[in-house]
Amino acid sequence: MIDFAKRPEEPAPSIWWLAIFAAAWLGALSIQPMPDPRAPSEFDTASAYRELETLCLGPRLGGNAYHTAALDQLEQRLESAGHGVERFAGRILGLPMVDLVCVSEGTESTGTVLVMAHYDSRAPDCPGASDDGIGTVAALQIFTTLAAAPHRNDLVLLLTDGEELGLHGATLFVERHPLAVEIDAVVNLESLGNGGPAWLFETGPEDGRWIRRFAREAPLPIGDSLAEWIYRTAMKRRNTDFTRFRDRGVGGFNFANVWGTKANHQAFDTPANLTLASLTHLGESGLAATRILVEENLSAPKEAEPAFFEVPGIGMVAIAPWLSSALAWLAVALGLAVAWRGARTYGASSAVWSLCVGLGALLAALGCSLGASHLVAEVVSWFGPEHVPTGNETSMRLFAVGVGLFSGGVFAAVAARLARCFEVFLVPWAIATVWLELVTPLSSHAASVPLLVTAVVALAPRPLRPLLAAAGLSFVALFLGPLLRTLPQIISQLLTPSTLAGAFPNAALVALLLVPFGPALAKRPRLAVDVLAVGGALLAWWAVGDARGW
């Protein structure tokens, strides 16, 4: 019989070490760096917003008055800047499409760069300020800014029609416009919601040096190569105009704002409900990416696409594929070594039992989070049928924090009481690292970096372990932060997957916390209960906030 009360003595962690981790975890869930739209910038947010207000007076459906007015406004804006504009018209699947095309020739061109967005909107009552009015005014300003000064490569502006109907405007250009065969790189400006940062969520084949320059030179680069895999698997039914070019082997940058997705295709997707910082970030990111491409030697041999992600305190970094793989296999080796040491210390039966407890704690965390979310949804519905607790950016932030802490607290409450060999919690992380490395190697960092840091902490001398654990796991929380706070936002129109997207990675993060701190936490189970209480309170705060329209 297993004696769960008998454990080797561990240095008791000071409450301050755990407080450091808690503060980092809370910050990772809730704090999103964004540019100040009032600060001096080459991208003029105020001017872009004024254009957005006139562009988004009503839904821009093919052929209606607002659609025609948008075409006239965009054409006049380009002509007033001294550019000739082509209305490229045609039919796709019997539907009339009108794209706007504008060209600025380079001084010593090595290729052609395309910056684009779509100016149409989808629903009959949707003004489409975020999708994709924000991209349209940003692309317009980026083109006129760069075209106003000498630039190396040819630059083309493409404002497409019919994206919402099935990428029809992009299809028209790619299949029938003579310039299509000359395009060497694309910057596409999209939006999934009316808030949050503009993520670099998709790139193209073999564009490594472009991404590395973007990571170094953009004012606030935000992106993760894992996002591309998520986009092409979990969100495989979604496409953007970028798809038409990537399918032809053309690489580049695809940006989108990914918070506040409840506004997508809704009547309240208006300029007034748009977060100005989101417009600034999309414009600055697109401008930086386009400038890189118009300066690059597009005829040079292309380099392999790197793995890229955000590092706390440093920003976005891009590393070579071989280095990403080396980190992954090193993390797996060290993680399994720690798990093996734990199994030898506690015995094989305790290790297997603890692994089963971890799986059970994860299922409990997911189940309790789903139950709580749907209960809150029912309570919020009492305030009125228009309120769904997956609403705007603010309520989704509260949602991400509440579900994250709640699921982590449930996991800690179950696992800290029942498990004995906490080191085996690294085994699922090792399996996830191997799986990601085999399936999508440019995304394995999402599992390998947390696994590597935790394994190093666990192998450290015992007297140093609490300090190293507080620092190392705080780093891990901040490293995972962009995904922890963004994943629920991306699919926030659907309550169940949004809850799972918030609950699963946070429970997995707490599993790492228990590797060094588990024995001590088992002696202080109230800590886990406290986390549950905080998570529950934040979940209730989110519910009230959403019901009041925060």
Side-chain angles (χ1 to χ4, degrees):
M1 181 170 177
I2 301 171
D3 182 6
F4 295 106
K6 186 177 180 181
R7 306 173 189 269
E9 286 299 317
E10 291 281 345
S14 164
I15 191 66
W16 295 110
W17 299 140
L18 292 172
I20 290 172
F21 169 78
W25 186 19
L26 188 60
L29 283 168
S30 58
I31 299 173
Q32 176 62 59
M34 290 289 285
D36 182 355
R38 298 165 299 180
S41 171
E42 189 176 6
F43 183 82
D44 188 345
T45 301
S47 175
Y49 184 75
R50 287 193 297 270
E51 287 186 316
L52 185 68
E53 287 183 307
T54 56
L55 183 72
C56 300
L57 296 176
R60 299 178 301 283
L61 303 175
N64 75 2
Y66 295 111
H67 183 273
T68 302
L71 272 171
D72 293 339
Q73 174 187 336
L74 296 169
E75 187 175 52
Q76 291 168 11
R77 171 70 171 82
L78 288 165
E79 289 177 342
S80 67
H83 301 289
V85 187
E86 176 190 4
R87 289 198 181 198
F88 186 65
R91 287 184 174 270
I92 297 293
L93 299 180
L95 298 174
M97 297 290 132
V98 182
D99 293 342
L100 288 182
V101 182
C102 198
V103 180
S104 176
E105 294 184 358
T107 56
E108 299 179 43
S109 182
T110 64
T112 303
V113 177
L114 180 75
V115 58
M116 69 174 175
H118 69 89
Y119 68 87
D120 66 308
S121 61
R122 182 169 182 170
D125 59 348
C126 175
S130 67
D131 188 15
D132 188 26
I134 185 175
T136 299
V137 297
L140 185 67
Q141 187 177 134
I142 289 167
F143 176 83
T144 55
T145 298
L146 294 177
H151 50 88
R152 181 181 190 180
N153 297 317
D154 295 335
L155 179 62
V156 177
L157 172 67
L158 173 62
L159 300 177
T160 66
D161 193 4
E163 191 271 353
E164 299 290 2
L165 300 176
L167 317 183
H168 289 348
T171 301
L172 175 68
F173 180 86
V174 165
E175 293 183 353
R176 303 179 194 175
H177 200 286
L179 277 176
V181 296
E182 300 180 19
I183 303 302
D184 298 290
V186 174
V187 175
N188 186 50
L189 304 178
E190 256 288 358
S191 185
L192 190 61
N194 63 353
W199 271 64
L200 173 57
F201 73 97
E202 186 180 21
T203 58
E206 299 184 318
D207 48 14
R209 65 184 184 276
W210 306 342
I211 297 172
R212 280 190 284 274
R213 279 195 62 185
F214 178 78
R216 294 193 306 267
E217 298 174 17
L220 184 62
I222 293 178
D224 196 307
S225 45
L226 175 65
E228 183 163 359
W229 178 75
I230 293 173
Y231 169 68
R232 296 213 160 264
T233 53
M235 304 177 70
K236 59 185 177 182
R237 294 182 181 178
R238 292 185 180 271
N239 284 296
T240 69
D241 285 337
F242 189 88
T243 303
R244 292 291 181 256
F245 294 88
R246 177 168 176 141
D247 288 348
R248 296 194 169 203
V250 179
F253 299 84
N254 201 2
F255 297 98
N257 300 100
V258 294
W259 287 19
T261 55
K262 187 65 192 303
N264 192 243
H265 301 160
Q266 301 299 317
F268 54 88
D269 184 16
T270 64
N273 289 328
L274 184 74
T275 305
L276 278 181
S278 298
L279 173 57
T280 302
H281 192 243
L282 182 65
E284 290 183 343
S285 299
L287 179 58
T290 308
R291 173 171 280 123
I292 289 168
L293 294 177
V294 297
E295 293 174 351
E296 276 284 349
N297 180 4
L298 299 179
S299 63
K302 294 181 180 178
E303 298 179 5
E305 185 176 354
F308 58 94
F309 45 87
E310 294 177 61
V311 176
I314 297 177
M316 182 173 156
V317 300
I319 62 174
W322 69 266
L323 180 56
S324 176
S325 295
L327 288 175
W329 295 116
L330 176 62
V332 169
L334 293 181
L336 292 180
V338 171
W340 176 252
R341 186 187 68 176
R344 292 187 62 185
T345 300
Y346 294 99
S349 58
S350 289
V352 172
W353 166 260
S354 299
L355 200 56
C356 293
V357 166
L359 178 60
L362 176 61
L363 294 175
L366 299 182
C368 289
S369 297
L370 280 174
S373 294
H374 283 276
L375 176 62
V376 168
E378 185 64 27
V379 172
V380 170
S381 69
W382 298 345
F383 289 88
E386 73 277 8
H387 292 294
V388 180
T390 51
N392 57 30
E393 176 185 331
T394 305
S395 64
M396 280 307 300
R397 243 188 239 218
L398 296 174
F399 177 84
V401 173
V403 170
L405 296 186
F406 188 78
S407 62
V410 171
F411 186 93
V414 174
R417 282 177 168 82
L418 299 179
R420 185 184 185 198
C421 178
F422 296 103
E423 288 88 343
V424 297
F425 288 172
L426 294 183
V427 172
W429 276 90
I431 294 172
T433 301
V434 172
W435 183 77
L436 285 172
E437 181 62 29
L438 295 177
V439 173
T440 173
L442 296 181
S443 305
S444 62
H445 58 270
S448 66
V449 171
L451 174 62
L452 179 61
V453 171
T454 308
V456 169
V457 167
L459 292 171
R462 283 187 180 179
L464 297 177
R465 203 171 296 166
L467 172 61
L468 291 177
L473 290 168
S474 295
F475 172 85
V476 168
L478 295 172
F479 177 81
L480 293 175
L483 296 176
L484 296 181
R485 60 181 173 263
T486 298
L487 282 177
Q489 300 267 5
I490 295 175
I491 44 182
S492 65
Q493 293 173 325
L494 303 171
L495 184 59
T496 294
S498 295
T499 302
L500 294 177
F504 182 85
N506 283 282
L509 174 61
V510 171
L512 296 181
L513 175 71
L514 293 180
V515 173
F517 284 148
L521 283 174
K523 299 173 184 177
R524 296 179 177 179
R526 278 198 61 190
L527 286 173
V529 176
D530 291 342
V531 173
L532 279 173
V534 172
L538 286 167
L539 207 63
W541 182 26
W542 154 65
V544 175
D546 189 83
R548 291 180 178 177
W550 287 357

